[in-house]
Amino acid sequence: MIPKTIIIITGPTAVGKTSLAIDLARQYNTSIISADSRQCFQELNIGVAKPPRVHLEEIPHFFINSHVITQEVHAGTFEGYAMDAVSRIFSERDIAIMAGGTGLYIRAFCEGLDSIPQIPAGVRQQIVAQYAQSGMEWLHQEVEKKDPLFFAEGEIRNPQRLMRALEVMIYTGKSIREFQQQKKITRNFSMLKIGLELDSDLLKRNIQHRVDEMIEKGLAGEVRQLITYRGLNALRTVGYTELFEHFDGKISLNEAIEKIKANTRAYAKRQMTWFKKDKEITWFDARNVDDVKKWVELKLKIKN
RNA sequence: GGUGCGGUAGCUCAGUUGGUAGAGCAAAGGACUGAAAAUCCUUGUGUCGGCGGUUCGAUCCCGCCCCACACCA
C-alpha cells in the first residue's frame, strides 16, 4: 500500500507557489489546501493574490473562500480545517498538496498546536479595550501581577503576546507557559516540504509587478468597498491598510502603492526568516520548477 | 536682475547659544504556538552644497559662488 503523502510548497510571497501547486495537482490528479491566512476570506480577492478563477474551478481548493471576514480565523482554526481536508483528500487519493506562505499555519498543520482552551471573544475584547485606553504600562503591570511566569521569559514588549498571555490567564487561571509544551504531534501520513526561493532582486521585481498588476485590476475599488470593516483582523493586511490611509487623505495613491511594495518586501523577508529555520524544507530556485517536479517524482517512487 | 527661504544618512526632516550630529521611513539581520500579510527586537560616519575668512576649533558666525523653491521686477 502506498503511504499517504502531502507535498507542501512554501516560500515568500510572489515566488510562484500557486502555479507550481497547480501544476503538481494536475500531474497527480489531486486537490490543494491553501496555507494562507488571508486567501480564506471571500471578500478579499485582488489584494491577496488568489489563484485565478479558472484554476479554482479546475482543481478543488481548500481554505480558499472558505470563510468570511467577520469570522475569527487563527492558527487553531487552520489546523482543524486542514486536518479535516487532508483526511478527505486521502480517502480518495494518495497524494495531497498544500501551498502557502503562512509559516505558523504550516507548522500547526505539520506538528500540531498545544491544546489551549478556546477563550471566549469577550475576554479578549475587554483586554484590547483596556489596553487601548490605558496603554503599555497597564498591560505590563497586569501581566507581571497575574502571570509572572510569562512576564519573566515572554516577549514583554510585544503587546499581542502580552494580551494573549493575559486572556489565557484570566480565563483558565493558568499561565500560557504551562500550556505551551511544544510537543510535536506525529501525523499518520508523510510530508515533503519544498521551499521556493528567489534572488532578492528578482523577488523585489516580482513584488513590484504584482502590486502594479493589483492596482490595474482595481485593488483600490475593492479596498474602498471594505472600508467599514477596516477594524477586523482580516483587513489588517498589506495592500489594504495602506489604501485605507489613502482614503483617509493621509497619503496619495502613489505613496500608498509605494508603501504596499515596501511592506510586501518586509513581509517576504519575515517569511524567509521563519522558513529558513525549518530544516525539513528542501529548497529550490523558483526559476527551475522542473527540478522540483523531478525531485518530487523521485521521492514518491522511493516511498513506494 | 532683486528679495526671501532652503541645501544635513537612500528619502522626509530635526539639531548643534561654535567642541565634527539624530529621529521617522527605507535597508540589513533576528524573534515569534490561537491577531502571523499580524506583532515585536537589534543595527545610523554622513566631504552637515562648494571655496575662502574669523577662531585653539566651524556643519553652526562672515564673504563669495553653485543649486532648488517662492515672491517682486
Side-chain angles (χ1 to χ4, degrees):
Chain A
M1 195 184 145
I2 299 163
K4 307 286 185 186
T5 301
I6 183 161
I7 302 162
I8 300 172
I9 300 157
T10 193
T13 190
V15 262
K17 300 184 291 293
T18 301
S19 72
L20 174 60
I22 285 162
D23 282 358
L24 289 171
R26 269 198 202 114
Q27 190 175 335
Y28 296 104
N29 186 31
T30 188
S31 310
I32 296 172
I33 302 170
S34 162
D36 184 298
S37 67
R38 299 290 125 112
Q39 290 183 0
C40 62
F41 296 112
Q42 284 165 24
E43 297 89 339
L44 273 37
N45 287 292
I46 300 168
V48 296
K50 275 180 194 166
R53 185 183 294 261
V54 270
H55 291 144
L56 293 178
E57 280 163 10
E58 179 195 342
I59 293 156
H61 278 74
F62 292 87
F63 210 63
I64 286 191
N65 296 330
S66 53
H67 294 73
V68 292
I69 52 175
T70 47
Q71 283 176 290
E72 225 184 83
V73 174
H74 45 71
T77 315
F78 179 77
E79 184 188 0
Y81 187 98
M83 287 310 294
D84 181 63
V86 254
S87 71
R88 281 208 263 161
I89 296 168
F90 284 154
S91 70
E92 295 172 3
R93 304 264 117 93
D94 293 324
I95 292 163
I97 289 162
M98 175 174 281
T102 305
L104 178 62
Y105 284 18
I106 292 172
R107 181 192 284 171
F109 173 78
C110 296
E111 302 174 7
L113 292 171
D114 292 308
S115 60
I116 300 174
Q118 184 87 34
I119 315 290
V123 178
R124 174 175 295 188
Q125 277 163 20
Q126 268 191 15
I127 295 169
V128 171
Q130 185 70 248
Y131 171 63
Q133 206 184 28
S134 313
M136 196 64 170
E137 215 176 303
W138 169 81
L139 233 197
H140 267 150
Q141 287 170 1
E142 276 306 283
V143 175
E144 190 173 14
K145 189 170 67 189
K146 296 197 163 119
D147 190 350
L149 191 62
F150 179 85
F151 197 78
E153 352 173 321
E155 280 183 66
I156 60 165
R157 291 167 96 167
N158 187 332
Q160 283 187 2
R161 301 270 137 72
L162 287 166
M163 289 191 273
R164 170 67 178 155
L166 199 54
E167 73 176 13
V168 170
M169 194 62 186
I170 288 170
Y171 186 69
T172 67
K174 290 207 303 196
S175 171
I176 189 167
R177 290 262 145 188
E178 292 179 60
F179 290 104
Q180 290 173 340
Q181 299 298 314
Q182 315 264 0
K183 243 185 269 162
K184 280 192 193 180
I185 292 170
T186 307
R187 306 295 190 189
N188 63 349
F189 47 83
S190 55
M191 305 172 191
L192 287 182
K193 283 195 200 173
I194 293 159
L196 285 185
E197 64 181 336
L198 207 50
D199 172 84
S200 74
D201 285 338
L202 289 174
L203 189 67
K204 265 178 207 174
R205 212 188 303 165
N206 282 5
I207 288 169
Q208 201 135 330
H209 282 161
R210 176 187 269 188
V211 174
D212 288 337
E213 227 171 66
M214 285 175 176
I215 295 293
E216 278 165 36
K217 285 185 191 160
L219 179 61
E222 178 173 313
V223 175
R224 194 194 279 272
Q225 284 192 321
L226 294 166
I227 207 153
T228 50
Y229 300 101
R230 62 190 297 178
L232 296 172
N233 182 247
L235 289 169
R236 309 191 71 167
T237 300
V238 174
Y240 294 77
T241 47
E242 299 85 353
L243 283 165
F244 287 144
E245 274 185 68
H246 166 61
F247 291 129
D248 286 342
K250 285 184 191 148
I251 55 175
S252 70
L253 181 61
N254 273 331
E255 285 170 326
I257 293 167
E258 288 313 305
K259 265 191 151 179
I260 292 170
K261 289 173 182 172
N263 289 337
T264 305
R265 273 182 254 130
Y267 166 50
K269 200 161 148 40
R270 272 180 269 135
Q271 288 177 301
M272 283 308 289
T273 304
W274 178 285
F275 293 128
K276 272 186 281 180
K277 289 205 306 188
D278 186 341
K279 297 303 170 203
E280 290 168 16
I281 294 175
T282 303
W283 290 95
F284 291 88
D285 189 308
R287 286 169 295 183
N288 305 324
V289 287
D290 287 343
D291 291 354
V292 184
K293 291 174 192 169
K294 277 184 221 154
W295 183 84
V296 167
E297 232 181 305
L298 197 77
K299 281 283 179 182
L300 291 173
K301 266 185 203 153
I302 291 167
K303 284 221 164 73
N304 290 345

